[in-house]
Amino acid sequence: AQTVTQSQPEMSVQEAETVTLSCTYDTSESNYYLFWYKQPPSRQMILVIRQEAYKQQNATENRFSVNFQKAAKSFSLKISDSQLGDTAMYFCAFLNNAGNMLTFGGGTRLMVKP
Amino acid sequence: DAGVIQSPRHEVTEMGQEVTLRCKPISGHDYLFWYRQTMMRGLELLIYFNNNVPIDDSGMPEDRFSAKMPNASFSTLKIQPSEPRDSAVYFCASTGLRGSPLHFGNGTRLTVT
């Protein structure tokens, strides 16, 4: 079974600064998929970014980028130029190769301060 | 595309009552998942379907919980009888191609008093 660990329950950052959220996972699979989801107070689960394990290049989506270290089983999310609207819970998630089992970390609550 | 649609958005019921949560997945998606979110346990997978067939229900907490998917466009999660510890947000999600992210509905917040 896969496990996903987010070691930072809460973080805060000043508006316009950069913040990095940590995520580690454990698996015996060689190919899989990793995601970051954002959950604002509206409780909607919003996909932020996706990474395929066989791709060495780190994924980027505008202000969001990841640092994927496959050997270390690490998948951190960097948010640049933080905005007030980035305030939310962020969940790291692991999807197995078969694509039928998505396992979530415990989440990191991010607050962006003005 | 309307996305994954869940109803109701909020449900408040008394202990012992039957509760039915509903989900319409994205058209063309052949996987459907039910998750439960609580402060204590985070996001837990309850059950998932592939082509309307339940594949893994090992996450269903008790026999009081049941889920059905009578067709490709509709699924229900039923709790009978409900208990206060069932209070949580229940999410439905669907996906199609392997490796594609799950698309979530807006969730149903269930409160059992």
Side-chain angles (χ1 to χ4, degrees):
Chain A
Q2 284 73 226
T3 59
V4 180
T5 303
Q6 294 179 246
S7 59
Q8 305 149 315
E10 293 186 359
M11 294 191 72
S12 64
V13 63
Q14 291 295 132
E15 193 176 7
E17 292 188 348
T18 296
V19 64
T20 299
L21 310 183
S22 301
C23 173
T24 58
Y25 57 93
D26 188 26
T27 183
S28 58
E29 297 191 6
S30 59
N31 193 36
Y32 44 87
Y33 309 86
L34 297 163
F35 306 93
W36 280 96
Y37 281 88
K38 169 186 177 181
Q39 187 179 40
S42 66
R43 80 167 181 251
Q44 193 178 2
M45 293 290 286
I46 301 167
L47 178 69
V48 175
I49 201 163
R50 172 181 180 267
Q51 176 80 42
E52 298 179 57
Y54 66 86
K55 289 188 176 179
Q56 292 186 338
Q57 186 172 7
N58 290 323
T60 63
E61 285 289 341
N62 300 314
R63 298 183 295 107
F64 298 88
S65 61
V66 298
N67 184 3
F68 173 49
Q69 301 289 328
K70 190 173 183 180
K73 295 180 181 175
S74 170
F75 183 61
S76 61
L77 175 69
K78 185 172 82 171
I79 306 174
S80 304
D81 185 26
S82 298
Q83 300 177 359
L84 297 179
D86 295 335
T87 292
M89 281 288 288
Y90 286 82
F91 292 96
C92 178
F94 174 102
L95 182 66
N96 63 348
N97 188 42
N100 57 12
M101 189 64 62
L102 185 68
T103 303
F104 286 91
T108 296
R109 185 176 302 278
L110 176 68
M111 176 162 292
V112 180
K113 298 179 178 180
Chain B
D1 192 341
V4 176
I5 300 173
Q6 290 186 248
S7 64
R9 184 156 175 79
H10 303 277
E11 177 80 35
V12 180
T13 191
E14 292 183 348
M15 182 173 62
Q17 297 298 307
E18 177 179 295
V19 175
T20 300
L21 311 182
R22 297 172 175 80
C23 175
K24 176 180 170 57
I26 292 173
S27 177
H29 283 186
D30 51 9
Y31 282 95
L32 183 139
F33 302 79
W34 283 100
Y35 280 85
R36 178 171 69 176
Q37 185 178 31
T38 61
M39 288 293 292
M40 291 297 294
R41 301 175 68 90
L43 281 152
E44 303 173 277
L45 176 65
L46 299 178
I47 185 172
Y48 81 89
F49 295 82
N50 179 217
N51 292 321
N52 313 338
V53 176
I55 304 299
D56 185 350
D57 65 354
S58 60
M60 296 285 262
E62 301 171 32
D63 291 345
R64 299 184 295 106
F65 286 69
S66 62
K68 294 182 179 180
M69 192 166 186
N71 57 61
S73 59
F74 184 65
S75 177
T76 59
L77 178 66
K78 185 176 293 186
I79 308 172
Q80 165 64 17
S82 58
E83 296 183 3
R85 60 194 168 121
D86 302 331
S87 297
V89 178
Y90 291 81
F91 284 101
C92 175
S94 70
T95 190
L97 294 173
R98 188 178 78 176
S100 296
L102 272 63
H103 297 262
F104 285 80
N106 287 333
T108 295
R109 179 176 295 281
L110 173 65
T111 302
V112 184
T113 60

